[in-house]
Amino acid sequence: MTKPIDPVDLTARLVRCASVTPAEGGALVLLERVLSDAGFTCTRVDRGGVCNLFARWGAKGAARSFGFNGHTDVVPVGDEAAWTHDPFGAEIVDGYLYGRGATDMKSGVAAFAAAAVDFVRDTPPDGAIILAITGDEEGPALDGTTALLDWMAAEGEAMRACIVGEPTCVETMGDMIKIGRRGSMTAHITVTGKQGHSAYPHRALNPLPAMARLMDRLASHTLDAGTDHFDPSTLAIVTIDTGNPATNVIPAQVRASVNIRFNDTHTGASLTAWLQSEIDAVQAEFGVTITQDTKVSGEAFLTPPGALSKLISDAVHAETGNTPEMSTTGGTSDARFVKDHCAVVECGLVGKRMHQVDERVPVADIATLKAIYTRILRAYFSQP
């Protein structure tokens, strides 16, 4: 009988791969070997210098196809001298596995890979299991999961439902899953006037009062009151800068940036239009020129509570005793791309130590996560 895959050992081996975005670091090579040995058909879907891995067990185009999505790239270590343990050593101390990416999200990848391998070996399902793993979630995310989904569409590969294995819990295993995410966008705004001597302000056109008025209008505006599944949208002013070291010069330009986290009341396009209307009003009032350069990182989305979220919630409760809150809080994840392909829910570890110095995860939680994923697969493929 084949020995089950130990998700803790697989996590440790992945952590030892120094896969800081965009370096592959050997992590996808390791996973491809593990999955290929278990009968998965593996394909590297590299694009734009980014390494990605697609793996499928079962028939292409199967009517029932369950997917997992995750990433093996990690954020930089930062000050390595501040770490108590080697950030790529995967040391286990007092029940914790230490290392960059231990929480976000090599444990999640190891858990769903181990669950998938053991499941198809023990109970070959009537259908397909797909793993879509990227090396570009922590970076620009232009050639990661999007590249995998583009390739899948071209090749006729499809997931009918998907779990993104990002950390989702707040304090204890099983206390939260994500059924959606807020949208995110950043607007870079430039106000241009006319430079002049501060002793003769009538000979200049100061852009600063216009910027101050605009920022006040934006920050004072209530975008919405929230929805059934989302908190109210927020706008944060993140920088205002003139680059002017002189106190006797009125600058010609001032720049500012705002970040908006928005719910499904809005779209990136509707908020861009609202920003432009505010810009137009201030521009007319002050006689300056104002431009915006806006980037939408992801639209708000929701997978309404239903069959998929119940299946996952039931599995989490069975393994942890917790009934998870169905949340849409937090930043963005690659679920924002997967949602255009199929129904998607995020379910993973406790995330409070991700990206920190001495990032670590309880080894017991890794085993629990594998058990949750295994129970989900059994439940999904046992349905009529």
Side-chain angles (χ1 to χ4, degrees), residues 43-47 51-55 68-70 131-135 142-155 157 159 334 341:
T43 306
R44 284 287 292 271
V45 186
D46 298 355
R47 190 175 81 181
C51 299
N52 304 296
L53 177 66
F54 172 88
F68 291 94
N69 169 257
L131 278 57
I133 307 169
T134 180
L142 298 175
D143 295 301
T145 293
T146 54
L148 285 160
L149 294 171
D150 289 347
W151 179 87
M152 289 171 65
E155 295 294 323
E157 300 279 3
M159 301 179 288
D334 277 2
H341 178 87

Side-chain angles (χ1 to χ4, degrees), residues 54-56 61-70 112 127-132 149 152 157-165 178 303-304 306-312 335 337-347 373 376-377 379-381 383:
F54 172 88
R56 170 177 42 80
R64 288 195 290 182
S65 179
F66 197 92
F68 291 94
N69 169 257
F112 68 60
I129 297 176
I130 288 175
L131 278 57
L149 294 171
M152 289 171 65
E157 300 279 3
M159 301 179 288
R160 310 301 175 187
C162 181
I163 288 177
V164 175
K178 307 277 188 177
T303 300
L308 179 59
S309 56
K310 184 179 187 307
L311 183 149
I312 295 169
F337 306 125
V338 179
K339 55 91 175 172
D340 293 326
H341 178 87
C342 66
V344 59
V345 172
E346 297 175 59
C347 173
Y373 291 154
I376 289 167
L377 288 172
Y380 178 81
F381 285 103
Q383 296 172 347

Side-chain angles (χ1 to χ4, degrees), residues 281-365:
V282 173
Q283 189 169 245
E285 180 182 355
F286 287 86
V288 295
T289 300
I290 308 178
T291 60
Q292 68 165 315
D293 178 16
T294 301
K295 178 183 178 182
V296 179
S297 302
E299 298 286 354
F301 74 93
L302 177 72
T303 300
L308 179 59
S309 56
K310 184 179 187 307
L311 183 149
I312 295 169
S313 180
D314 288 348
V316 169
H317 179 75
E319 294 296 337
T320 68
N322 289 326
T323 298
E325 176 186 352
M326 297 188 187
S327 173
T328 59
T329 57
T332 58
S333 75
D334 277 2
R336 70 189 190 272
F337 306 125
V338 179
K339 55 91 175 172
D340 293 326
H341 178 87
C342 66
V344 59
V345 172
E346 297 175 59
C347 173
L349 295 170
V350 176
K352 60 185 177 182
R353 295 186 180 92
M354 58 184 174
H355 295 201
Q356 293 185 356
V357 169
D358 277 345
E359 181 177 349
R360 60 196 182 275
V361 59
V363 294
D365 285 359

